[in-house]
Amino acid sequence: MTTHSTNSDLYFATARELRSKFDGREFSSVEATRAILDRISTLEPSLNTFITVTPERALKDAEAADRRLQGSGQEAGPLTGVPIMIKDNFSTKDVETTAASNILKGYIPPYDGTAVRLLKEAGAVILGKGNLDEFAMGSSNESSAFGPVHNPWDTDRVPGGSSGGAAAAVAAGECFIAFGSDTGGSIRQPASLCGVVGMKPTYGLVSRFGLLAFGSSLDQIGPLTRSVADCADALNVISKHDRRDSTSVKAPFDDFAQDINAGVAGMNIGVPKEYLVDGMESGVRSAFEASLKTLEDLGANISETSLPLTDHALAVYYIIAPSEASANLSRYDGVKYGLGTLDADTSAQATEIARGEGFGDEVKRRIFLGTYALSAGYYDAYYKKAQQVRTLIRREFTDAFLKFDALVTPTSPGVAFKLGEKMDDPFQMYMNDVCTIPVNIAGLPSISVPGGISEDLPVGLQFIGPQFGDTTVIRAAAAYEQATNWHQKHPLI
Amino acid sequence: MDPLTPKDVEHIAQLAYIKLSDEESEDMRVQLTNILGHFASLSAVDTEGVEPTGHTTDSNTVMRKDEPLPPLDQDDVLRNAPDRDGEFVRVRPVLE
């Protein structure tokens, strides 16, 4: 652990590789955690991926993990002793949780969310809380009240969002696995822009209890990792029925890693042509075409298909998500927690002031949009209409999966863009998620894997599966990963 | 669609309990009008007789036994209140 090259092997190791180093007594979890904490100190001034780092807690977790790895107490699992980051919209008991908003600065949750509890029980080492777009609303991480995250591939560029801190930290070797949330692409799009693996599981697979709610019918927790196998292992830990989330499914859960070596030979994979949108960068398009060739060489049957309602998905999403957000965020009233003011004559005024000062521009915009869409006289034209089109989009996917085992698309129409480039036009910013949003509308599983390089920046490849076809998308992604070396490319940082 | 008026924005601000400056209100009016304009295409989709989708899992009302569990620690909860008096949260007058 003394030479630079050994450390760099450690920073960019997969969680599975790290675990085998623990088993081979090459490193202890405490040593690995110390090395990563040092790297975080070195890189944070230029990346800003963490809102809160908790070194003392992490080292205590690592000591406990080392005892477990040495055979005392509970059996060790794939995440035992592995340093991880948690996005700062997950409730963590006794550790500040801000959702990157001024309205929650200083908020100390009295409980752990379910995913956090399961990760602690698995013996993972929590390094701290990841930066994000405020309340996970954004595609560039620029709406954070704690400043933007910088992409480790080029620090003048955004990491994507909203799980920008998570994706950038995994790409830069500041953690081995990060956990994010995905409402319209918030795991997959930053994973694509930072060159890592990111997965949004089927809606209902992972409990949302303790995830600060944004769009409750769309939100889903998932992992960001440096390999598909790590993603499957991480999903195995966090997917469990939870009585505290009434949308948490009871279905028996697969071992999500069971098919990672099964390949794609004979698999029918559809390419929905509407995802190759106007304005897609040519470098992204050619990387995608090369990826299709790779899948074909592996024996997959690739054919074009059409999902015509895709063109309406963005409108459906930007009505439903803000509507749900406007209801969910009404809890931030400046009374029970977060920013409050005593400088008001009435309780209602105090709330208006706290919310006016506490929320940033994008969050206000979405609350206004949602409030409008739900208000008397507009409900049928916007919210109900969007929910009806949602039904039709789901049907279109259901029909497609009668023919195909999975669909494949680019994850994002472009590579990482410059900080500030799209901040003046909210709708241009929304277009970043055009390939990821339909998946959340239909509640489907989807994974983004490194799928090429364009202009020296990573390009992502997205697989979409039928509801509860999580194992299928992991299988396809793993086959693609094994046949390419994009996942082995790391930023020079 | 017609552009939103300043009165529309004021009405939404009241419903949403968010105080905006005059400048913010005008920016909001322009941006919301622009974004809503992009949604107009939805009206072209035929949704006659289509049931709306609220969420994508097919379970509806989920019942469970009403079993008492250990509650949250009162101090852990109350420490987050901006204004607290013992075991109470203080608020400004509710009635004007």
Side-chain angles (χ1 to χ4, degrees), chain A residues 252-385:
Chain A
F253 296 104
D254 286 341
D255 168 5
F256 296 108
Q258 70 189 15
D259 287 340
I260 55 171
N261 294 314
V264 288
M267 202 183 254
N268 294 317
I269 301 181
V271 181
K273 62 179 184 188
E274 290 79 7
Y275 284 66
L276 302 170
V277 293
D278 292 342
M280 180 163 282
E281 291 171 14
S282 62
V284 171
R285 195 177 286 259
S286 50
F288 180 64
E289 279 158 12
S291 296
L292 294 183
K293 177 81 176 47
T294 302
L295 290 167
E296 242 166 358
D297 291 346
L298 292 169
N301 306 315
I302 306 285
S303 53
E304 190 183 90
T305 187
S306 174
L307 299 172
L309 287 169
T310 303
D311 296 342
H312 296 291
L314 207 63
V316 168
Y317 177 83
Y318 276 99
I319 293 169
I320 291 177
S323 296
E324 294 183 7
S326 71
N328 276 323
L329 272 63
S330 65
R331 74 192 65 181
Y332 303 104
D333 56 6
V335 172
K336 303 180 290 294
Y337 38 72
L339 187 73
T341 180
L342 304 176
D343 191 18
D345 294 333
T346 67
S347 180
Q349 279 174 13
T351 295
E352 285 174 352
I353 293 168
R355 288 164 67 81
E357 289 175 0
F359 290 134
D361 290 344
E362 183 59 30
V363 172
K364 283 180 192 162
R365 194 148 46 230
R366 300 216 194 174
I367 292 175
F368 270 64
L369 200 52
T371 304
Y372 181 75
L374 293 176
S375 66
Y378 299 99
Y379 181 92
D380 282 356
Y382 289 107
Y383 188 64
K384 190 178 168 203
K385 184 79 182 181

Side-chain angles (χ1 to χ4, degrees), chain A residues 219-238:
Chain A
D219 296 341
Q220 191 61 193
I221 288 171
L224 296 99
T225 61
R226 285 191 288 267
S227 78
V228 175
D230 284 359
C231 177
D233 290 345
L235 191 55
N236 278 334
V237 169
I238 58 174

Side-chain angles (χ1 to χ4, degrees), chain B residues 1-21:
Chain B
M1 65 163 265
D2 295 333
L4 294 185
T5 63
K7 218 175 157 58
D8 291 331
V9 176
E10 196 185 322
H11 176 60
I12 306 170
Q14 275 169 3
L15 292 175
Y17 280 85
I18 293 179
K19 191 173 167 58
L20 295 185
S21 69

Side-chain angles (χ1 to χ4, degrees), chain A residues 192 288 291 295 408-411 447-451 459-463 480:
Chain A
S192 171
F288 180 64
S291 296
L295 290 167
V408 66
T409 78
T411 309
I447 189 167
S448 177
V449 284
V459 173
L461 181 69
Q462 173 176 248
F463 292 94
Y480 177 82

Side-chain angles (χ1 to χ4, degrees), chain B:
Chain B
M1 65 163 265
D2 295 333
L4 294 185
T5 63
K7 218 175 157 58
D8 291 331
V9 176
E10 196 185 322
H11 176 60
I12 306 170
Q14 275 169 3
L15 292 175
Y17 280 85
I18 293 179
K19 191 173 167 58
L20 295 185
S21 69
D22 291 348
E23 197 189 336
E24 280 182 310
S25 295
E26 179 53 18
D27 284 352
M28 188 69 82
R29 192 185 68 75
V30 172
Q31 285 165 349
L32 288 190
T33 300
N34 176 31
I35 294 166
L36 291 167
H38 287 285
F39 297 165
S41 67
L42 271 192
S43 58
V45 182
D46 181 5
T47 52
E48 186 67 38
V50 176
E51 282 295 307
T53 292
H55 63 93
T56 56
T57 55
D58 292 322
S59 59
N60 276 308
T61 307
V62 179
M63 307 294 277
R64 63 169 165 80
K65 285 203 180 107
D66 185 18
E67 293 162 330
L69 293 171
L72 295 173
D73 182 86
Q74 195 181 39
D75 262 332
D76 283 355
V77 175
L78 286 171
R79 68 186 164 188
N80 286 300
D83 195 12
R84 175 185 174 182
D85 184 358
E87 58 189 63
F88 297 99
V89 170
R90 280 173 61 95
V91 295
R92 306 302 300 156
V94 173
L95 299 173
E96 291 180 44

